[in-house]
Amino acid sequence: MYNNGLLPEEFLANTKNNKVQKPLFECNSTCACDIHTCPNRLVQHGMTTCVEVFPSSDKGAGLRTLQAIPRGAFVLSYLGEVLSNEEMKERYKSYSPKKGNYILSMVESNGDTTYNTHIDPTYIGNVGRFCNHSCDPNLAVVPVRVAHNIPIAALFAR
């Protein structure tokens, strides 16, 4: 699946304009591969990129890397509470426009089925919440499935 630890170019190119993504499937406990050396176990090993939360002049806080990141490299997972569609709508309405919200909605398609996953790191999450929105993003959100029903929102460098 991965190409020397990087998201394949053809998959990365498809993330630019498509809102619906095909999920990536990583090996899991049902595979016979070695958990430490399998090249198809990248996201589940977690973040290895050095990042820093910094004060942004107009967006509150932002997140930047402290090292060069090659195109297609896994940067981090966007972690938080997983919300139903109804919870997401209610939560979104309750957030103040001045304070903003951190809800990430990810749509994935696997054959004829489409899945919506809403992740809110406002109360429980990681540094991914400080990735600011951009009209020309340098990260691609990719649904990664390992061994459970909820995908991981993995952010890869564009």
Side-chain angles (χ1 to χ4, degrees):
M1 165 179 314
Y2 298 108
N3 183 7
N4 293 322
L6 302 176
L7 192 63
E9 187 61 39
E10 61 273 8
F11 192 93
L12 191 58
N14 289 335
T15 65
K16 182 91 176 169
N17 298 318
N18 296 342
K19 290 189 175 187
V20 179
Q21 298 296 326
K22 289 185 178 182
L24 292 175
F25 292 89
E26 288 195 357
C27 290
N28 57 52
S29 60
T30 64
C31 299
C33 61
D34 183 283
I35 189 170
H36 301 291
T37 60
C38 176
N40 195 33
R41 292 177 182 259
L42 180 65
V43 172
Q44 63 192 277
H45 288 307
M47 185 172 131
T48 59
T49 305
C50 293
V51 296
E52 165 183 64
V53 177
F54 69 98
S56 173
S57 59
D58 60 342
K59 301 287 184 189
L63 187 70
R64 63 182 164 210
T65 65
L66 300 176
Q67 64 194 71
I69 301 173
R71 181 174 167 81
F74 171 65
V75 179
L76 58 89
S77 297
Y78 196 86
L79 303 177
E81 290 179 85
V82 177
L83 308 175
S84 68
N85 286 331
E86 294 75 25
E87 289 173 314
M88 182 272 301
K89 289 175 187 173
E90 289 302 312
R91 188 94 42 109
Y92 186 79
K93 284 193 278 187
S94 74
Y95 290 147
S96 124
K98 288 183 181 179
K99 192 173 183 183
N101 80 76
Y102 300 104
I103 298 172
L104 175 109
S105 292
M106 181 172 57
V107 182
E108 66 177 301
S109 174
N110 192 6
D112 294 334
T113 307
T114 300
Y115 302 95
N116 296 299
T117 303
H118 310 288
I119 302 167
D120 184 359
T122 300
Y123 303 109
I124 301 169
N126 67 351
V127 296
R129 78 171 125 220
F130 298 109
C131 291
N132 289 328
H133 166 79
S134 172
C135 293
D136 187 23
N138 56 8
L139 295 173
V141 180
V142 178
V144 175
R145 293 190 171 268
V146 179
H148 41 78
N149 293 332
I150 301 170
I152 298 168
L155 281 74
F156 288 85
R158 280 196 196 273

